[in-house]
């Protein structure tokens, strides 16, 4: 009863497994996969780095206390202030301070109850241009993250490309293994037939030795194919970060012949698709934006630095207020810093534009070559179909001749090997076709798009 149940249940268990297709790989490209995490790590670090530069605009609470008791001078200083800097470079400060006695680092002196103090620092050029060094650094950090996000896209695309290539190698090795198993099955069928012929006296005992030798040879071939299949599987599962037991329990693999992605669009459309989808182009655009931002800020350095600081105080004891105006002017006459940066940014921009065109030219050439090769591989597959049909007929005819006593086992063996080679040659054509489709999708930037 248990045996009957197992016989009925096994097909159901096999049927319950999921077919592992190429796009299934994407399910395992997540942050739990160390190979995937390594591709996006720089972007994640850069996102956190944005917060570092954004800290320049954090509200600051500061406290200071000095208590001086020197032999000839006595002084005490207390200050609590809140400081806030905004994007255009202006800095606001509100404070309470109390300065008694002789101060060591300033000439401030307040009434007994201290004073309220407000201050605003105004960088004129930054205010006019609505920018500042802190704002520049923060925006550059944001653009750096966006730039690295495109780098992450390219890295993930590369990881998926490698994983998919190994996937097709796995399918090829599995199908090759199956053809070797079929070849061994034929030798075992030959053995059954010859055994009957020897028992009936139609063939000599030596015929069994010959077929046994074939079986040993084909078992060796099968072991070699099995080893290649297992090696491919090990490498593939490494990229998935998945155990073999888990994979075998959940999935089955399709034939490489069924994995035929058909790209029917024109060469011109392929170029447009690549320009829209390849992360390199968007990455360069962010890099150009960063240079534009730095150039805009650098233009301010053509002019003198002019800062105005306004301070206001209100003494709590004397009930009086006062103010102070300070002016800062700085202008490097040679302007070497401005000129050097200006020329640097210009040359960096030209370099990026040239890199953009180089990548575009490379992609266009690669797409044209791949589409031509795809056409060639399809013709090879069609011819291989015809070849397989012919060698099968010849193999069948040779086996009939042998069974009728007109041929020899040697010729049967040769025909079986020729059929095997024709099948395996076609499998390699399919494998090359899948790699070409893979390369085409990579060039188009559509490889990670689920169908």
């Amino acid at each position: 009863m248990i045996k009957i149940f197992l016989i009925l249940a096994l097909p159901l268990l096999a049927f319950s497994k999921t077919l592992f297709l190429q796009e299934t790989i994407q399910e395992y490209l997540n942050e739990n996969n160390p190979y995937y995490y390594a591709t996006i790590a720089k972007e994640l670090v850069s996102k956190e780095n944005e917060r570092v530069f954004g800290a320049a605009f954090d509200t600051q609470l500061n406290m200071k206390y000095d208590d001086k008791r020197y032999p000839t001078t006595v002084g005490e200083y207390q200050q609590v202030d809140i400081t806030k800097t905004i994007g255009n470079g202006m800095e606001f400060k509100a404070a309470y301070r109390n300065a008694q006695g002789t101060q060591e680092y300033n000439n401030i002196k307040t009434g007994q109850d201290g004073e309220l103090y407000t201050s605003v620092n105004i960088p004129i050029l930054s205010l006019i241009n609505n920018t500042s060094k802190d704002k520049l650094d923060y925006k550059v950090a944001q653009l750096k993250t966006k730039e690295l996000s495109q780098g992450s896209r390219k890295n993930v695309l590369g990881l998926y490309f490698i994983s998919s290539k190994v996937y097709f190698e796995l399918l090829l090795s599995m199908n090759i293994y199956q053809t070797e198993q079929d070849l061994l099955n034929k030798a075992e069928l030959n053995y059954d037939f010859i055994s009957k012929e020897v028992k009936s006296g139609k063939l000599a005992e030596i015929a069994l030795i010959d077929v046994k030798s074939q079986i040993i040879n084909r078992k060796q071939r099968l072991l070699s194919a099995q080893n290649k299949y297992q090696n491919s599987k090990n490498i593939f599962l490494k990229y998935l970060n998945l155990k073999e037991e888990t994979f075998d329990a959940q999935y089955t693999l399709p034939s490489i012949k069924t994995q035929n992605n058909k790209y029917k669009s024109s060469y011109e459309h392929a170029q447009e698709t690549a320009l829209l989808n390849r992360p390199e182009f968007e990455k360069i655009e962010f890099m150009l934006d960063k240079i534009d931002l730095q150039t805009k800020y650098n233009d301010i350095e053509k002019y003198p630095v002019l800062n105005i600081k306004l301070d206001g105080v209100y003494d709590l004891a004397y009930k009086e207020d006062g103010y102070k105006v300070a002016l800062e002017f700085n202008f490097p006459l040679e302007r070497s810093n401005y000129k050097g940066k200006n020329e640097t940014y210009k040359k960096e921009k030209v370099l990026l534009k040239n890199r953009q065109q180089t990548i575009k030219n490379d992609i266009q050439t690669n797409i044209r070559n791949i589409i031509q090769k795809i056409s060639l591989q399809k013709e090879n597959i069609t011819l291989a179909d015809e070849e397989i049909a012919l060698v099968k007929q010849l193999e069948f005819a040779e086996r009939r001749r042998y069974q009728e006593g007109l041929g020899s086992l040697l010729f049967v063996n040769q025909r079986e090997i020729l059929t095997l080679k024709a099948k395996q040659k076609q499998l390699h054509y399919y494998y090359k076709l899948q790699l070409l489709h893979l390369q085409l999708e990579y060039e188009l930037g559509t490889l990670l798009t689920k169908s």
Side-chain angles (χ1 to χ4, degrees), residues 192-230:
D192 292 340
F193 171 77
I194 292 171
S195 295
K196 293 177 183 177
E197 295 296 291
V198 169
K199 286 180 181 178
S200 66
K202 293 181 181 179
L203 290 175
E205 190 75 25
I206 192 69
L208 278 177
I209 297 175
D210 191 8
V211 75
K212 283 180 181 178
S213 175
Q214 285 184 9
I215 289 174
I216 291 172
N217 176 263
R218 293 181 184 186
K219 281 183 177 180
Q220 290 171 334
R221 292 175 61 106
L222 184 65
L223 285 173
S224 177
Q226 184 182 27
N227 183 58
K228 289 181 180 179
Y229 167 61
Q230 187 61 51

Side-chain angles (χ1 to χ4, degrees), residues 184-342:
L184 174 61
N185 293 342
K186 289 178 181 179
E188 290 174 343
L189 288 174
N190 291 338
Y191 179 82
D192 292 340
F193 171 77
I194 292 171
S195 295
K196 293 177 183 177
E197 295 296 291
V198 169
K199 286 180 181 178
S200 66
K202 293 181 181 179
L203 290 175
E205 190 75 25
I206 192 69
L208 278 177
I209 297 175
D210 191 8
V211 75
K212 283 180 181 178
S213 175
Q214 285 184 9
I215 289 174
I216 291 172
N217 176 263
R218 293 181 184 186
K219 281 183 177 180
Q220 290 171 334
R221 292 175 61 106
L222 184 65
L223 285 173
S224 177
Q226 184 182 27
N227 183 58
K228 289 181 180 179
Y229 167 61
Q230 187 61 51
N231 287 343
S232 297
K233 191 176 184 182
N234 293 340
I235 295 171
F236 179 62
L237 294 179
K238 174 188 75 172
Y239 284 111
L240 296 186
N241 194 37
L242 192 64
K243 291 183 179 179
E244 185 175 6
E245 298 79 11
T246 306
F247 181 86
D248 291 340
Q250 294 182 6
Y251 300 109
T252 57
L253 292 169
S255 168
I256 196 169
K257 295 181 180 181
T258 62
Q259 303 297 293
N260 192 9
N261 301 313
K262 298 178 181 178
Y263 187 82
K264 297 181 179 179
S265 298
S266 65
Y267 167 68
E268 289 73 19
H269 181 262
Q271 292 183 81
E272 295 174 5
T273 303
L275 292 174
L276 289 172
N277 290 284
R278 282 290 289 264
E280 293 94 326
F281 295 114
E282 197 164 352
K283 178 180 179 180
I284 289 175
E285 289 300 324
F286 287 129
M287 294 172 76
L288 288 170
D289 289 344
K290 185 170 67 175
I291 292 175
D292 287 340
L293 194 64
Q294 291 169 325
T295 302
K296 181 181 177 182
Y297 181 78
N298 188 55
D299 286 342
I300 298 176
E301 297 197 4
K302 289 189 294 188
Y303 307 103
V305 173
L306 180 62
N307 294 337
I308 297 175
K309 187 177 182 183
L310 304 176
D311 297 333
V313 297
Y314 178 77
D315 193 286
L316 297 173
Y318 294 103
K319 308 298 182 183
E320 293 180 0
D321 56 24
Y323 69 89
K324 181 177 76 171
V325 178
L327 181 67
E328 180 186 357
F329 179 87
N330 176 267
F331 186 51
L333 298 178
E334 288 82 3
R335 300 190 300 169
S336 300
N337 185 55
Y338 159 72
K339 293 175 182 177
K341 286 183 178 179
N342 194 50

